[in-house]
Amino acid sequence: MVDDHEKPLSLVMFSGTDDKLTAAAVLAVGAAVMGRPVNLFLQYYALDAFRAGRVNADHALSPEATVSQAPLIRAHKGQHWSELLKQAKDVGEVNIQACALSMDMFGIGREDLDPIVDGIEGVAAFMASASDGQVVFI
Amino acid sequence: MTQEMAMSITIAMSLDLKGLSCPMPIIKTAKAMKQLAPGQLLEAFATDPGSVPDFKAWAQTTGNPLVESSQEGGVFRFVLRKKEI
Amino acid sequence: MSTLVGKLQIDKTIDARGMACPGPLMNLIGAIRQGQVGQVFEVLSSDEGSKTDIPAWLAKARHDLVEVVQDNGYTHFVVRKAR
């Protein structure tokens, strides 16, 4: 019988803006430190942000960011989301998979992905990994 | 003083996490705890107010007792014991 | 080429090459639903996602993954309806 705190946290990463990617990375870190396996499923715009050489590029902020909030977000000295994910991988079980459909849609090949991405999978495999834990869409 | 007594009061590792904001304090602590042997103590100093509930929750969930949680000025001090196997 | 395909009776071949994920899996599911227990299906897929999707679904639905063979730019999945 699996304790609640060991159930996986599975994040469907849809958005590709830096604020949402950071929010997702923080959740991943939180779950990882608590001993919960974490699965990330990269789709659409999030997948684009994980391309080799593009991870640290400016991915803009979501339209929700106001004129006064945007500079605060940019100036904040927190870690980059890619760095947070690396730390999460260090401390716990974090599996980052690219969505095969999105790869196909955007013409992205395996070699185009940043090494932090562990592999490519389809949605059924992602759901299997999500098992009895939670699925969050960001 | 027996070795057991010495281990139970000596801090094996001290982390300076002052100035770091969530989730850095807890992730650095979780990572450092992996290096400790069962029974050893880790001490962490943080300034992030969010670390108080974070350390408490982490200790409870992972089973590594939080033996001290105190504050002096704007600095929080946490002492965690690495759980027995 | 495939090692078992010549020796095992394939009841139905589903050519899903060129289909995007999760199309090949959906086609397999449809075929299995309409098929009889014991029948063997072969799915041809060029979709990368099939490599993880098909085994994952088969494990969950408890059908047999008989064989997986890599071909030139696509994969053969030989599957048996087990129940």
Side-chain angles (χ1 to χ4, degrees):
Chain A
M1 163 117 167
V2 175
D3 279 332
D4 269 355
H5 80 265
E6 281 164 17
K7 290 183 180 175
L9 175 68
S10 302
L11 305 179
V12 177
M13 309 276 285
F14 179 87
S15 306
T17 54
D18 280 325
D19 46 3
K20 288 191 167 177
L21 290 166
T22 302
V26 169
L27 292 181
V29 163
V33 299
M34 290 305 216
R36 295 176 65 178
V38 181
N39 302 303
L40 262 59
F41 189 54
L42 310 177
Q43 295 184 316
Y44 284 79
Y45 318 109
L47 177 64
D48 195 73
F50 279 79
R51 296 173 84 141
R54 285 197 37 80
V55 168
N56 289 295
D58 182 344
H59 298 283
L61 299 177
S62 84
E64 293 171 64
T66 64
V67 169
S68 55
Q69 288 170 323
L72 296 175
I73 295 169
R74 287 309 189 195
H76 193 251
K77 282 193 228 91
Q79 300 265 10
H80 190 263
W81 51 264
S82 62
E83 200 44 52
L84 286 173
L85 289 174
K86 282 192 191 131
Q87 307 235 0
K89 280 190 166 196
D90 252 352
V91 106
E93 267 177 67
V94 177
N95 190 252
I96 302 179
Q97 298 283 331
C99 164
L101 175 58
S102 291
M103 301 263 304
D104 192 55
M105 191 180 293
F106 296 106
I108 298 172
R110 192 181 284 268
E111 61 286 351
D112 299 321
L113 297 174
D114 187 271
I116 203 179
V117 181
D118 297 299
I120 302 166
E121 72 180 4
V123 68
F126 170 70
M127 285 305 173
S129 72
S131 68
D132 61 346
Q134 295 142 341
V135 178
V136 176
F137 187 88
I138 300 183
Chain B
M1 182 179 293
T2 65
Q3 177 143 37
E4 271 172 6
M5 280 175 69
M7 253 183 80
S8 72
I9 21 180
T10 319
I11 305 288
M13 198 183 290
S14 182
L15 299 179
D16 180 1
L17 309 168
K18 298 195 287 286
L20 297 179
S21 51
C22 180
M24 293 316 296
I26 198 68
I27 197 169
K28 283 190 182 277
T29 302
K31 197 168 162 180
M33 283 295 278
K34 284 177 129 183
Q35 295 168 44
L36 264 60
Q40 285 191 312
L41 296 176
L42 179 144
E43 170 190 57
F45 294 96
T47 47
D48 176 27
S51 59
V52 175
D54 261 10
F55 274 68
K56 187 173 170 191
W58 185 82
Q60 193 155 358
T61 299
T62 59
N64 297 288
L66 181 64
V67 298
E68 181 177 323
S69 175
S70 58
Q71 178 183 5
E72 197 176 313
V75 181
F76 303 97
R77 177 174 182 258
F78 305 100
V79 179
L80 291 155
R81 178 180 298 121
K82 179 78 180 265
K83 67 181 173 187
E84 309 298 329
I85 309 238
Chain C
M1 264 302 267
S2 60
T3 57
L4 276 185
V5 166
K7 303 165 196 165
L8 188 69
Q9 155 119 8
I10 303 288
D11 295 297
K12 183 170 183 182
T13 296
I14 300 152
D15 187 347
R17 287 175 295 185
M19 273 188 120
C21 185
L25 172 63
M26 303 311 294
N27 279 15
L28 172 62
I29 292 173
I32 285 188
R33 285 231 169 104
Q34 289 166 34
Q36 318 273 326
V37 176
Q39 281 189 315
V40 178
F41 304 89
E42 182 190 18
V43 181
L44 309 178
S45 174
S46 55
D47 158 44
E48 192 67 27
S50 293
K51 293 179 184 172
T52 53
D53 264 6
I54 290 177
W57 182 81
L58 290 171
K60 185 79 189 175
R62 291 182 283 134
H63 296 294
D64 301 332
L65 179 61
V66 175
E67 193 182 35
V68 178
V69 182
Q70 234 0 88
D71 208 319
N72 211 358
Y74 63 100
T75 308
H76 299 250
F77 299 89
V78 182
V79 167
R80 179 187 297 112
K81 176 166 178 168
R83 62 186 189 98

